[in-house]
Amino acid sequence: MSGSPPPEGGFVRRVGLFQATAINMSQMCGIGPFVTIPLMVAAFGGPQAVIGFVAGAVLALCDGLVWAELGAAMPGSGGSYVYLRQAFQYRTGRLMPFLFVWTAMLFIPLIMSTGVVGFVQYLGYLAPGLGQTAGDLTGLGVIALVVALLWRGIEHIARITAVMWTVMIASVVLVIAAAAGDFSPHRAFSYPAHAFDLTSDHFWLGFAAGLTIGIYDYLGYNTTAYMGAEIKEPGRTLPRSVIFSILGIMTIYLLLQIGTLGVVDWHRMTDPGDIASTSVASAVLEETWGRGAADTVTVLILVTAFASVFTGLLGGSRVPYDAARDRVFFRPYGKLHPEYRFPVLGLATMGVITAAGFLLGRHTDLATLIQLLTTVMVIVQALAQIVALTVLRRRRPTLRRPYRMWLYPLPSAVALTGWCVIYGYADRNSPGRHPVEWSLAWLALGCAAFLIWARLEKVWPFGPKEISEEYGEDGECGEDGTSGAPVGTAPSARRP
């Protein structure tokens, strides 16, 4: 609580509730809704696309409750890595946390790359003559600037994030206000024939695609869970930051989606030659307040996009740190900067992969890139983490849980169903791209890498399972009032 460095030179707890919520919301909102509203409309084939944002909100909230319970009980750096390590060590040793880090090193930077693609896309509104090469160089420059700003202490980053959060709120509020001033209910709620035909395959394909786009827009509600070792009073702050950020962004998205549909005819959003298909928020401002206002708000949207990439790499770069500290990932990732206390190699690696993903995204469509990154994360993070919650409730019923999931296990079941729908329909919504096959291939490659690593480290399946039950039971209290032992310690370590 004092902000002094903890033992062993670990992280410092300096991020409070407001800053934690701001980090989540900045990552969640970002450029996402400003570039995916046209994609959502195209998926559903009309203004009924609002269903996608509602469905995404339900899935995010249910899955967010999983994160809230696990994050409050086990507030270590690395997020899912910590939870999967604790839940699955009894049966498969270190396989699941290794696979999570393996996939996270790909899907987190890919998510950030879509933000940079959106940044360049909106920049094209201000500079219509921006060519392919200039756009590529601009995007790479943005990524380099983000990494440079993150190359400093967490207390400075928290202040930068709070400022960016304010800009993000201003940009979405201005777009919503502009839409409200010229809102047409007829335009917003005029649906094409058979828009809600639940017996049609077209509806369910659109729903699955819309759910994928919707949850992509909400991704980031878990950012602070990756920073659990840097959060003040994590048992209280983590669940609140997750829930508050989801509810806040859900309100913003619904107002933004409905307001946009009430100003810009949805047919324009599906026309590749129309500015509304690439920069719909700018089109709304141009229609209502004129070109000058549209230019100003576009600048704010660019700052918002920058903030989302900034906070995403901030949280994501912490993922391999805890795994490396526990010797479940390459050991150099377990080193912190000697002065600023951030994971150097994790940040540098994710910065490079973000740049590669950005260049890939510039030569494919954004919807396909979203499908690819979503399928990569579903099995090892989303589905496995829901199972981990149940496993830990059964194996460690006395684990101190400052927050327990409301209406358990209903939210877990809803989240599980939603993720299965996204994964099951991925190939059908991306013909010729085969995102499911690519995700399975990446997972298989990760399993092969694990076997090589396990052989070298002489751990399961080539050695014993090392069971390390970290974090305290009811009645125990860790440092700073948290629920259990600091990251890297093992109060109850045993071998089966």
Side-chain angles (χ1 to χ4, degrees):
M1 298 283 280
S2 64
S4 60
E8 301 182 11
F11 287 121
V12 180
R13 296 190 183 279
R14 287 178 174 167
V15 179
L17 178 60
F18 173 76
Q19 293 167 332
T21 305
I23 287 171
N24 282 348
M25 292 183 69
S26 296
Q27 171 61 11
M28 291 168 72
C29 187
I31 196 70
F34 297 118
V35 296
T36 57
I37 287 176
L39 297 180
M40 190 78 82
V41 171
F44 278 91
Q48 70 273 24
V50 71
I51 296 172
F53 282 113
V54 174
V58 172
L59 176 54
L61 188 57
C62 291
D63 195 57
L65 295 182
V66 175
W67 282 90
E69 177 170 324
L70 294 174
M74 296 170 285
S77 62
S80 289
Y81 162 75
V82 177
Y83 319 145
L84 298 180
R85 180 190 65 198
Q86 290 296 302
F88 294 105
Q89 60 184 333
Y90 305 97
R91 293 291 183 89
T92 57
R94 303 180 185 184
L95 173 62
M96 290 305 294
F98 182 95
L99 288 178
F100 166 72
V101 179
W102 176 266
T103 56
M105 294 292 287
L106 178 63
F107 73 73
I108 291 176
L110 286 182
I111 294 172
M112 299 309 101
S113 69
T114 63
V116 185
V117 170
F119 181 97
V120 175
Q121 194 169 298
Y122 264 83
L123 186 62
Y125 179 82
L126 297 178
L130 188 70
Q132 181 74 29
T133 301
D136 290 348
L137 292 175
T138 299
L140 294 176
V142 167
I143 296 168
L145 179 58
V146 167
V147 173
L149 288 176
L150 289 172
W151 210 270
R152 60 193 64 241
I154 187 66
E155 66 275 11
H156 303 297
I157 291 173
R159 287 194 289 267
I160 293 172
T161 300
V163 173
M164 291 183 177
W165 180 82
T166 303
V167 174
M168 180 270 290
I169 291 296
S171 64
V172 295
V173 166
L174 286 172
V175 175
I176 291 170
D182 195 28
F183 182 78
S184 168
H186 174 75
R187 188 181 295 117
F189 303 114
S190 292
Y191 305 109
H194 311 296
F196 301 99
D197 183 3
L198 302 184
T199 63
S200 168
D201 285 344
H202 177 75
F203 175 86
W204 291 111
L205 282 173
F207 178 84
L211 181 61
T212 304
I213 295 167
I215 194 61
Y216 160 80
D217 282 329
Y218 285 98
L219 289 178
Y221 54 83
N222 50 13
T223 300
T224 48
Y226 290 118
M227 304 168 57
E230 298 166 270
I231 303 295
K232 296 177 182 177
E233 299 183 274
R236 291 166 54 86
T237 301
L238 272 173
R240 293 182 180 186
S241 69
V242 170
I243 295 169
F244 290 172
S245 60
I246 292 173
L247 294 178
I249 291 295
M250 177 180 65
T251 302
I252 290 172
Y253 280 178
L254 292 178
L255 291 173
L256 195 61
Q257 170 81 38
I258 296 171
T260 299
L261 288 168
V263 174
V264 178
D265 185 89
W266 69 268
H267 293 91
R268 291 182 57 192
M269 301 184 198
T270 60
D271 180 2
D274 197 300
I275 191 65
S277 67
T278 55
S279 307
V280 68
S282 302
V284 169
L285 267 296
E286 188 173 318
E287 287 281 339
T288 54
W289 293 351
R291 178 68 193 223
D295 289 345
T296 301
V297 174
T298 300
V299 171
L300 296 181
I301 291 173
L302 294 177
V303 176
T304 299
F306 185 90
S308 70
V309 178
F310 180 90
T311 54
L313 286 180
L314 167 63
S317 63
R318 270 66 178 166
V319 171
Y321 169 78
D322 200 55
R325 287 278 302 264
D326 282 353
R327 294 189 307 157
V328 180
F329 204 60
F330 304 106
R331 297 187 186 187
Y333 284 91
K335 296 180 180 179
L336 296 177
H337 190 281
E339 180 181 357
Y340 297 128
R341 318 307 303 168
F342 69 88
V344 177
L345 192 55
L347 176 59
T349 301
M350 289 200 173
V352 170
I353 298 175
T354 299
F358 162 72
L359 293 176
L360 174 65
R362 289 278 288 170
H363 297 278
T364 186
D365 60 283
L366 188 59
T368 298
L369 190 57
I370 291 173
Q371 290 279 3
L372 288 170
L373 70 88
T374 304
T375 53
V376 168
M377 67 173 284
V378 164
I379 295 178
V380 179
Q381 183 185 56
L383 299 183
Q385 188 163 282
I386 294 169
V387 175
L389 177 66
T390 301
V391 169
L392 286 169
R393 283 211 174 196
R394 292 178 178 176
R395 281 202 174 263
R396 299 189 63 186
T398 59
L399 175 68
R400 184 172 183 267
R401 293 174 171 87
Y403 168 81
R404 284 178 172 269
M405 176 187 287
W406 302 330
L407 301 177
Y408 175 85
L410 180 60
S412 290
V414 172
L416 185 70
T417 302
W419 288 116
C420 287
V421 168
I422 287 174
Y423 197 78
Y425 279 83
D427 273 350
R428 296 186 66 183
N429 281 312
S430 299
R433 300 288 186 177
H434 306 295
V436 170
E437 286 81 355
W438 281 108
S439 69
L440 292 175
W442 184 254
L443 185 62
L445 188 60
C447 290
F450 171 78
L451 291 175
I452 296 172
W453 174 87
R455 184 72 176 180
L456 294 173
E457 294 285 340
K458 296 181 173 60
V459 298
W460 184 93
F462 303 105
K465 298 174 188 171
E466 296 182 354
I467 307 301
S468 177
E469 294 182 339
E470 301 175 22
Y471 304 97
E473 309 300 311
D474 277 326
E476 297 181 13
C477 186
E479 64 180 44
D480 292 332
T482 62
S483 57
V487 173
T489 66
S492 175
R494 58 185 174 86
R495 294 173 184 262

